[in-house]
Amino acid sequence: MAAVDEHELISRFFRPLAGRAGTFDLTDDAASLAPPDGCDLVLTKDGIAAGYHFLPDETPGNIARKALRVNLSDLAAKGARPLGYLMLLGLGARWEEAWLSEFTAALAADQSTYGIDLLGGDTIRADGLVVSITAIGTVPKGAMVRRSGARPGDRIYVTGTIGDAALGLLAATADSRLGHLDEGHRRHLLDRYSVPQPRTGLADALRRHATAALDVSDGLAGDLDKLCKVSGVGAAVDLDHVPLSPAVRAAAAQDPAMLELAVTGGDDYEILCAIPPEASEAFEKVATDAGTPVTAIGEIRDGEGPAMFHRGGTPSGFSRRSFSHTG
Amino acid sequence: MAAVDEHELISRFFRPLAGRAGTFDLTDDAASLAPPDGCDLVLTKDGIAAGYHFLPDETPGNIARKALRVNLSDLAAKGARPLGYLMLLGLGARWEEAWLSEFTAALAADQSTYGIDLLGGDTIRADGLVVSITAIGTVPKGAMVRRSGARPGDRIYVTGTIGDAALGLLAATADSRLGHLDEGHRRHLLDRYSVPQPRTGLADALRRHATAALDVSDGLAGDLDKLCKVSGVGAAVDLDHVPLSPAVRAAAAQDPAMLELAVTGGDDYEILCAIPPEASEAFEKVATDAGTPVTAIGEIRDGEGPAMFHRGGTPSGFSRRSFSHTG
């Protein structure tokens, strides 16, 4: 590492990120946190590592944004309002102050966007860059949205569009199957892989209306399977209803395998949820008011087992169900 | 990675560690936590990485213990009772199920020892092994022990003995300066480096009596400097009073530089605290009752600047003040 000790790192780069009472300007070993009255805390922990979760030439700003936002996406899916986060930064041998400066500037901007502060953390040497974040949010007592409450008859919704990030990762490798895409479409897909947009605006609507929710990080098909498994239900999804961006549509028009990749690939960070039919109109309205596009893609059904994907009733099997970040 | 996906990892290895209500058997993306009435949460985050924080041939059990206990040590120094933890496990390419089995068995044993549960986490691929833990404890509202409250006249105490771990790291490299030590002493030093013993029993006494405290992770001298800096005070420490194990005494008898290493080296995970003179008798009694040896080593003084180390009044300078885990 360069000739900067941890004390200097904290003073220069991390102390400006710690604004909330109880962090003691990061001059202590720990933060003290008094949760708001009548609230539960919601805790989630996701990490990203060089070589596995972002591109080798990724900018420090995008690495920071992805590390933080994948956690904010989890909080949103649980109906939680973001409160703060702790961060472990494992720095490989080759890093520079300019890198760290850009990294922390991006965190500062996101803190402002999402109304959160750094509560504490640790900076260590590691073989490769690792960012491990614990994000903390709040919900009214007992109100965390679970994966496990979906009931037969519930409508299945997703936010935004599905598959952009999976195709973005493919585009980054200059895969020939996407060679026909124009530059605007390629740029869109790459951006969606690099910088998740957590659906924090949907948290209240989920708490009010969803019987179950999670964020799509390992692929729509596999994540729906997880929701079904813990809820003890089945599901049917009409592929023709899955919302796709113009870029994914263009890719799938050339090669139908791109549709399968879109539905089974990872890194969407959109929200998948189950909404009782009687609440779906209200849900769609509050989602629209919150500026979050939502689309009904299918229905929770009786039974167990993997969700059934079909096109207008004709079953469509997938050779794999999900993308694993441990794989 | 081997042919074990994250879902299977969670089911087999991590779910048994999640006992407390609100973790939903780790079937959800997040945990829900309702802090006890009248309590603040205390949050701390420390991580360890292969090649920097433990020996290359370290056992999975000791890696697990160290990762967890360095965090429990922070909580103890803050006067907090441990409640639970979240863990990110970054696994390098070469790991085996037997390794993970031993790793999680050690966590399970420590959970039982310290009365805590796993609240959530994430398992990812990384270039080298990284364990990042966020530990959560509780204190009565507003009662977290800070680094910043030391006042001139306070007595400076440390728990246990100082320097074993720093010399243990040296012993691990078969450094010739420790060649004369007998096998029992070497074993003691190595154990102290490998497996910290967090002073959780002292938390209540610190909350009742300490004006300031931290755990010694970067060396007694450097960590005392940090305490003084944020408290706006100076300090004087009599080296003849610093508690040393027989192994460190034997090493220092051969080579006085070993005493300097003991006082400036890291990884002690003992607690350093400031106790007003009128409370020192009561503090010593509750510490003894809690089975934690404590020794008065000096005094907080007026002024600022690095703590002064002396032997019976003769100043003793050190060429370095502390060990940096980022260095």
Side-chain angles (χ1 to χ4, degrees):
Chain A
M1 190 198 269
V4 178
D5 71 7
E6 184 171 18
H7 182 76
E8 195 183 336
L9 280 182
I10 293 170
S11 306
R12 287 183 47 197
F13 295 111
F14 298 114
R15 190 158 300 153
L17 300 176
R20 199 175 292 269
T23 62
F24 314 116
D25 286 331
L26 305 185
T27 60
D28 216 305
D29 312 272
S32 167
L33 181 68
D37 282 343
C39 283
D40 286 342
L41 295 179
V42 174
L43 306 169
T44 187
K45 190 167 181 48
D46 265 349
I48 63 175
Y52 306 99
H53 304 87
F54 48 86
L55 299 172
D57 59 349
E58 188 54 280
T59 66
N62 281 351
I63 295 169
R65 280 182 274 271
K66 187 158 197 172
L68 186 57
R69 293 179 180 196
V70 299
N71 284 282
L72 297 178
S73 177
D74 272 329
L75 292 183
K78 303 292 102 182
R81 177 184 306 237
L83 179 69
Y85 68 106
L86 296 95
M87 176 176 65
L88 174 122
L89 180 60
L91 287 168
R94 293 177 308 145
W95 68 273
E96 290 167 4
E97 291 181 42
W99 188 96
L100 200 54
S101 179
E102 273 188 66
F103 182 85
T104 49
L107 289 177
D110 265 12
Q111 289 187 191
S112 168
T113 302
Y114 298 106
I116 54 171
D117 288 309
L118 181 66
L119 299 174
D122 191 17
T123 308
I124 64 170
R125 272 296 300 277
D127 278 348
L129 182 70
V130 177
V131 191
S132 165
I133 283 182
T134 300
I136 302 173
T138 60
V139 289
K141 230 171 230 317
M144 186 180 109
V145 180
R146 301 278 312 280
R147 281 188 187 176
S148 59
R151 291 168 306 205
D154 287 351
R155 293 198 186 146
I156 301 168
Y157 282 85
V158 289
T159 58
T161 56
I162 292 296
D164 303 286
L167 270 65
L169 183 54
L170 204 61
T173 63
D175 190 284
S176 63
R177 287 170 292 175
L178 297 178
H180 60 90
L181 287 189
D182 69 36
E183 191 48 34
H185 283 160
R186 296 176 64 81
R187 194 67 256 163
H188 166 82
L189 298 175
L190 284 165
D191 282 352
R192 289 274 287 159
Y193 174 76
S194 289
V195 185
Q197 303 292 337
R199 297 296 187 177
T200 49
L202 201 67
D204 290 349
L206 292 169
R207 275 209 319 283
R208 282 159 67 183
H209 300 299
T211 55
L214 51 65
D215 72 327
V216 181
S217 55
D218 297 336
L220 176 65
D223 284 336
L224 178 56
D225 286 346
K226 290 176 198 163
L227 185 150
C228 287
K229 187 169 183 194
V230 293
S231 292
V233 296
V237 169
D238 190 337
L239 279 171
D240 290 336
H241 291 176
V242 173
L244 303 175
S245 66
V248 171
R249 283 190 191 283
Q254 286 289 114
D255 179 354
M258 293 298 101
L259 178 62
E260 175 170 343
L261 179 61
V263 176
T264 58
D267 282 301
D268 289 297
Y269 301 105
E270 296 292 351
I271 289 173
L272 173 69
C273 61
I275 306 288
E278 65 274 15
S280 62
E281 195 179 333
F283 174 73
E284 289 183 22
K285 182 175 182 331
V286 289
T288 305
D289 290 350
T292 308
V294 295
T295 308
I297 60 170
E299 189 183 74
I300 299 293
R301 298 208 171 153
D302 275 321
E304 298 201 13
M308 196 263 284
F309 283 75
H310 63 89
R311 300 195 87 132
T314 309
S316 167
F318 295 130
S319 53
R320 67 170 196 173
R321 302 290 295 186
S322 73
F323 174 79
S324 169
H325 286 97
T326 59
Chain B
M1 192 199 271
V4 177
D5 71 8
E6 185 171 16
H7 182 76
E8 193 182 338
L9 281 181
I10 293 171
S11 308
R12 287 183 48 195
F13 295 110
F14 298 113
R15 191 158 298 152
L17 300 175
R20 198 175 292 270
T23 62
F24 314 116
D25 287 331
L26 305 185
T27 59
D28 216 304
D29 312 272
S32 168
L33 181 67
D37 281 343
C39 282
D40 286 342
L41 295 179
V42 174
L43 306 168
T44 187
K45 189 165 183 51
D46 264 349
I48 63 177
Y52 306 99
H53 306 86
F54 49 85
L55 300 172
D57 58 349
E58 188 53 281
T59 65
N62 281 351
I63 295 169
R65 279 181 276 271
K66 187 157 197 172
L68 187 56
R69 291 178 181 197
V70 300
N71 284 282
L72 297 178
S73 177
D74 272 329
L75 292 183
K78 304 291 101 185
R81 176 184 305 239
L83 179 70
Y85 68 105
L86 296 96
M87 177 175 65
L88 174 122
L89 181 59
L91 287 168
R94 294 177 306 146
W95 68 273
E96 290 168 2
E97 290 180 42
W99 187 96
L100 200 54
S101 179
E102 273 188 65
F103 182 85
T104 49
L107 289 177
D110 265 14
Q111 289 187 191
S112 168
T113 302
Y114 298 105
I116 53 170
D117 289 308
L118 181 66
L119 299 175
D122 191 18
T123 307
I124 63 169
R125 270 297 299 278
D127 278 348
L129 182 70
V130 177
V131 191
S132 165
I133 283 182
T134 300
I136 302 172
T138 60
V139 289
K141 230 171 229 320
M144 186 180 109
V145 180
R146 302 279 311 280
R147 282 188 186 177
S148 60
R151 290 168 306 204
D154 286 351
R155 293 197 185 146
I156 301 167
Y157 282 85
V158 288
T159 58
T161 56
I162 292 297
D164 303 286
L167 270 66
L169 184 54
L170 205 61
T173 63
D175 190 284
S176 61
R177 288 169 291 176
L178 298 178
H180 60 91
L181 287 188
D182 69 34
E183 190 48 33
H185 283 161
R186 296 174 64 80
R187 192 70 257 162
H188 167 82
L189 297 175
L190 285 165
D191 282 353
R192 290 273 286 160
Y193 175 76
S194 288
V195 185
Q197 303 292 336
R199 297 295 188 177
T200 49
L202 201 67
D204 290 349
L206 291 170
R207 273 208 320 282
R208 281 159 67 185
H209 300 298
T211 54
L214 51 66
D215 72 328
V216 182
S217 56
D218 297 337
L220 176 65
D223 284 337
L224 178 56
D225 287 346
K226 290 176 198 163
L227 186 150
C228 287
K229 186 169 184 193
V230 292
S231 292
V233 296
V237 169
D238 190 339
L239 279 171
D240 289 336
H241 290 177
V242 173
L244 303 176
S245 67
V248 171
R249 283 190 191 285
Q254 286 289 114
D255 180 355
M258 293 297 102
L259 178 62
E260 176 170 343
L261 179 61
V263 176
T264 58
D267 281 302
D268 291 296
Y269 301 105
E270 297 292 351
I271 288 172
L272 174 69
C273 60
I275 307 288
E278 65 276 15
S280 62
E281 194 179 333
F283 174 72
E284 289 182 20
K285 183 175 181 330
V286 289
T288 306
D289 290 350
T292 308
V294 295
T295 308
I297 59 169
E299 190 182 73
I300 300 293
R301 297 207 170 154
D302 274 322
E304 298 201 12
M308 198 263 286
F309 283 75
H310 64 89
R311 301 194 88 129
T314 308
S316 169
F318 295 129
S319 52
R320 65 169 197 174
R321 304 291 295 184
S322 73
F323 175 79
S324 169
H325 285 97
T326 57

